[in-house]
Amino acid sequence: KKSQLSPREEENQRVRLKTNRQYMESFINPKEFVEDQKKKQKEKTEKAKRHPSEPQKDVLLYLLDNAPLEEWQHTVLNIIRDEAYYFVPQMQTKIMNEGWASYWHSKIMTEKAMHDCEIVDFADTHSGAMAMNPGQMNPYKIGIELFRDIEERWDTGRFGRDWNECEDLAAKKNWFKDTRQGKEKI
């Protein structure tokens, strides 16, 4: 059934709270309330017109394309955007890069480079670099643990079809196949 109301009456109906009794209308929908609701509705409509319908991943590009910037502001914002994109690959690979360096630093120092009397000093320094406080992310610690996990899983055969299809939790807990493929895998 099509509405018999004018556009203005439809808008009034949208912003008013429903009442069952006409004599309650002025109490439930006072003039100030109705005007405030109309104002909010209008602001919401205007805001929807100003902003993109879909979220924008590249906020700086959106600002460059849509913000009322002077030429020098546009230039500065474009420089900042270019610099940010220059560092994206480092940000995307930071954990694995730091983990790789930490993994090999630890291996070389503990297995090849140090004397037994130096191990405590190394452990003290290394533990400081690997420390993680609650709520913080340490790329060195996360990265080294990822490489250690990969190495352990591939050294013990905890990969592949047999491992993935095994549903026996006890068997998975005691799983050991001496494959020694960890170093090659990492």
Side-chain angles (χ1 to χ4, degrees):
K1 182 179 176 181
K2 244 185 171 183
S3 174
Q4 301 282 335
L5 301 174
S6 71
R8 186 179 193 100
E9 291 174 80
E10 281 187 38
E11 182 183 25
N12 276 338
Q13 289 297 326
R14 278 197 305 262
V15 298
R16 292 177 179 277
L17 298 173
K18 298 202 182 326
T19 61
N20 291 333
R21 306 279 186 257
Q22 185 61 35
Y23 70 90
M24 294 295 292
E25 180 67 25
S26 63
F27 294 102
I28 294 179
N29 291 306
K31 188 175 183 177
E32 301 83 15
F33 171 78
V34 173
E35 293 303 318
D36 186 53
Q37 292 302 308
K38 285 180 184 178
K39 183 180 175 185
K40 286 181 183 176
Q41 187 72 28
K42 186 177 180 180
E43 288 173 357
K44 186 177 177 183
T45 304
E46 288 297 317
K47 189 175 182 181
K49 289 178 187 176
R50 284 194 310 249
H51 296 288
S53 59
E54 295 288 322
Q56 300 295 308
K57 187 173 184 176
D58 191 342
V59 176
L60 294 178
L61 179 61
Y62 177 77
L63 291 173
L64 287 167
D65 290 344
N66 298 291
L69 300 172
E70 293 182 23
E71 187 176 341
W72 72 268
Q73 293 170 320
H74 190 275
T75 302
V76 169
L77 196 57
N78 200 32
I79 290 169
I80 292 169
R81 181 175 178 268
D82 289 344
E83 285 293 311
Y85 272 100
Y86 174 80
F87 289 107
V88 166
Q90 285 115 332
M91 289 184 279
Q92 291 175 330
T93 60
K94 183 173 183 66
I95 289 173
M96 296 311 284
N97 287 342
E98 302 301 359
W100 185 251
S102 298
Y103 175 87
W104 286 107
H105 180 247
S106 176
K107 285 280 187 194
I108 291 167
M109 293 301 286
T110 57
E111 295 175 11
K112 305 284 184 199
M114 290 188 312
H115 296 290
D116 294 344
C117 64
E118 299 170 311
I119 196 78
V120 173
D121 289 334
F122 169 76
D124 185 44
T125 305
H126 187 70
S127 66
M130 296 296 120
M132 258 179 47
N133 295 320
Q136 291 183 335
M137 185 183 87
N138 183 339
Y140 300 93
K141 177 66 172 170
I142 295 170
I144 197 171
E145 292 303 330
L146 285 170
F147 282 110
R148 286 176 177 166
D149 179 67
I150 293 166
E151 182 180 29
E152 179 185 349
R153 285 186 298 116
W154 284 75
D155 278 347
T156 59
R158 294 178 182 207
F159 63 91
R161 179 181 285 183
D162 292 343
W163 169 256
N164 291 333
E165 291 177 356
C166 179
E167 294 182 10
D168 182 1
L169 295 179
K172 273 193 155 182
K173 183 177 180 182
N174 297 315
W175 193 283
F176 183 83
K177 294 182 179 178
D178 194 13
T179 58
R180 297 183 193 194
Q181 296 175 352
K183 288 268 192 306
E184 182 181 326
K185 183 63 178 174
I186 63 170

